[in-house]
Each structure stands twice: as structure tokens, then as C-alpha cells.
Amino acid sequence: MKAEVEQLRDEHQAPERLARSGLTPSRTGLFTGPPGVGKTLAARWLASELELPLLVLDLSSVMSSYLGRTGGNIRKVLDYAKSSPSVLLLDELDTVAKRRDDAAEVGELKRLVTVLLQEIDDWPSTSLLLAATNHGDLLDPAVWRRFDVVIDFPLPGRIELEEALRHYCGSETPEGLGFLVRVLAGSSFADAERFVMAGRRRAALNGERLFDVLLQLGRERLRHLDQVERLHIALDLVHHGDLSQRRASELTGVSRDTIRRRQRDTQSE
């Protein structure tokens, strides 16, 4: 995903290299993935790297009860974005570009999809048109084919979460980061940032160390997990040397005897 976004930047920063091979920069890119995984942030980064203005159109906000007006509104925005080099992000694309074979959709909305497809086809190579969706399965198949590049933004893995937590915590990065990474497994970057910011605010209000506050918030999250899941986290923490058996027991609520016994069973297998 990172490499694909960087290539978009490189193509627009060095179009002359592509021209020597008879090529032009990718005009359009579709970002797919769940909320909070960095789609909008990637668009901002691209605009910054290319030193172009970023225009954001939230399609869910321009949907009018009079659908004919929506088509006109979208065309006006796209025409404006075409008038000079820029990066345009169409957010919540699935709000408009739904499958045209969906019997529940009215004919006017289907015509709106056609309008959007025509505008994408006419997009100039001097600008970059990006679109983002949390629900790629709702998009009309013809929409997928119109984009030069499709980039999937998955939920962050362990390494990505750890890097994000270090960034969000800054100079206050806690020592027991492994515990927090496991607590936040399956979370988006936005979820992780909210988690850390809540901890920083609580720490500032109560005069506590951020490390202690984040551990407490982590324990609160673990209460929603069953015994098997908490045992798995405890064993993982001890196995990787992040925490001692005693500390892992305190944080997960799993007894030291259970952790010790399961470790022995695992080693003997």
C-alpha cells in the first residue's frame, strides 16, 4: 500500500520520465478499506508532496433530496477542480456510485452514476482525482474499471500499530508498548489515536504518568474479552519478553498459576 501511494507521487513529480516511454501519470486512484486506516491522510500527504491544493468533496453531504441537483453540484465541483492542477478527493464514493443493477435504487441515482463515470473518463492528467470508500462491495462494477490505480488500505498489523503508537505518544512512549499493541489488535489507526489521546488527557488532568494511564485503559479494554483471549495475550506478552509473568497476570487478570501451567504445556508439546 505504501509503495503504491509513493508511486502515485513519483509519477506526478516526474511526468517527463513517463513521457519518454509514451506514458502519462495515473490520473485517478481509488482508495478502499475500513474507516480510520489512512485513506484521507494519504490524500493529504500526496497533495503536500506534490505541492498542490487538496480539494475534498464529501459525496454524502452533497446528496440532495432532488437528485438532479446532486448531478449538477458534482459537475460544478469537478469542473472547478479541472480548471487548475490539484488533488481532488471524492470521499464516501459509495454514497453516489452504487451498483446500477440494485433494484432498490431509483433511476435518477443510476443516471448520476453515469454522470460520474463520464467525468472520471474526462479527468486531465495534470491533476489527480482520488476517491475513497469504506464499502467497495457497494460500488458499481464500471466504477472500478474507470480508475487507473486501486489501492487497498487494510487494518494495521502489529508493526504498523506499534509505529503509530510511538508517533501518537511522542516523547512519552511507554515501555510496555507490546501490551498496548496486543490490546489494540484489530483496531484502526484512528482508534489507536483516540485511545492514546484519551490517555494523554487523563494523565494531564490527574498528574499521572502516561504509561500508567494507558495500562489502566488497556486493562479496561481487556475486561470485554473472554478468559481464553486474555490468556492468549498474557502468554504472548511473556513469550516475547515484554512483561514478567507477574506483570502479565496483573494486567490481564489471568492468574500466574494459569500462565505458568499453560507455558509448561506449550513447551512440552
Side-chain angles (χ1 to χ4, degrees), residues 134-177:
N134 302 330
H135 305 286
D137 56 306
L138 297 180
L139 295 180
D140 189 289
V143 173
W144 290 88
R145 296 193 295 269
R146 285 322 202 279
F147 286 93
D148 298 331
V149 179
V150 177
I151 303 177
D152 181 49
F153 286 70
L155 288 169
R158 176 177 174 174
I159 294 176
E160 292 81 13
L161 263 181
E162 183 170 333
E163 290 178 354
L165 287 171
R166 289 187 184 280
H167 174 71
Y168 301 145
C169 293
S171 60
E172 299 178 276
T173 300
E175 299 172 1
L177 209 57

Side-chain angles (χ1 to χ4, degrees), residues 1-244:
M1 176 264 291
K2 180 181 179 183
E4 293 170 300
V5 174
E6 289 177 343
Q7 180 170 326
L8 269 178
R9 174 201 61 188
D10 296 342
E11 289 179 14
H12 282 263
Q13 284 184 333
E16 67 284 351
R17 296 182 188 175
L18 295 175
R20 287 196 288 268
S21 297
L23 301 170
T24 58
S26 299
R27 300 174 301 111
T28 58
L30 175 61
F31 294 169
T32 67
V37 291
K39 299 188 294 295
T40 302
L41 184 62
R44 289 175 182 164
W45 181 82
L46 281 168
S48 175
E49 289 287 297
L50 298 176
E51 298 182 344
L52 293 175
L54 174 64
L55 309 175
V56 180
L57 176 61
D58 185 346
L59 292 172
S60 64
S61 69
V62 300
M63 286 294 288
S64 169
S65 57
Y66 301 97
L67 286 174
R69 294 183 182 179
T70 300
N73 291 338
I74 291 176
R75 277 195 165 159
K76 287 178 182 178
V77 172
L78 294 178
D79 287 342
Y80 175 78
K82 288 178 184 177
S83 63
S84 61
S86 63
V87 175
L88 173 63
L89 174 63
L90 301 178
D91 203 7
E92 305 283 354
L93 180 65
D94 50 275
T95 305
V96 173
K98 294 183 178 180
R99 298 177 62 95
R100 284 174 290 183
D101 59 2
D102 185 347
E105 297 300 339
V106 298
E108 187 63 38
L109 185 54
K110 294 177 182 179
R111 285 190 287 273
L112 181 56
V113 175
T114 301
V115 168
L116 184 60
L117 295 179
Q118 292 171 346
E119 292 291 337
I120 294 173
D121 286 340
D122 294 337
W123 195 256
S125 60
T126 53
S127 293
L128 180 59
L129 171 64
L130 302 174
T133 177
N134 302 330
H135 305 286
D137 56 306
L138 297 180
L139 295 180
D140 189 289
V143 173
W144 290 88
R145 296 193 295 269
R146 285 322 202 279
F147 286 93
D148 298 331
V149 179
V150 177
I151 303 177
D152 181 49
F153 286 70
L155 288 169
R158 176 177 174 174
I159 294 176
E160 292 81 13
L161 263 181
E162 183 170 333
E163 290 178 354
L165 287 171
R166 289 187 184 280
H167 174 71
Y168 301 145
C169 293
S171 60
E172 299 178 276
T173 300
E175 299 172 1
L177 209 57
F179 170 68
L180 299 178
V181 169
R182 288 165 178 78
V183 167
L184 292 168
S187 299
S188 67
F189 289 118
D191 292 334
E193 184 176 22
R194 279 192 292 268
F195 177 83
V196 172
M197 292 307 298
R200 295 183 70 172
R201 292 187 181 98
R202 184 183 295 188
L205 288 171
N206 300 331
E208 299 177 84
R209 289 197 314 156
L210 177 61
F211 175 57
D212 295 332
V213 173
L214 291 178
L215 288 183
Q216 178 59 38
L217 290 176
R219 280 196 294 265
E220 292 174 5
R221 277 187 167 234
L222 286 183
R223 292 173 186 168
H224 301 291
L225 302 181
D226 61 30
Q227 174 78 3
V228 174
E229 290 177 298
R230 286 186 285 114
L231 174 58
H232 178 75
I233 291 175
L235 291 170
D236 203 25
L237 288 165
V238 174
H239 175 73
H240 287 91
D242 292 320
L243 295 173
S244 66

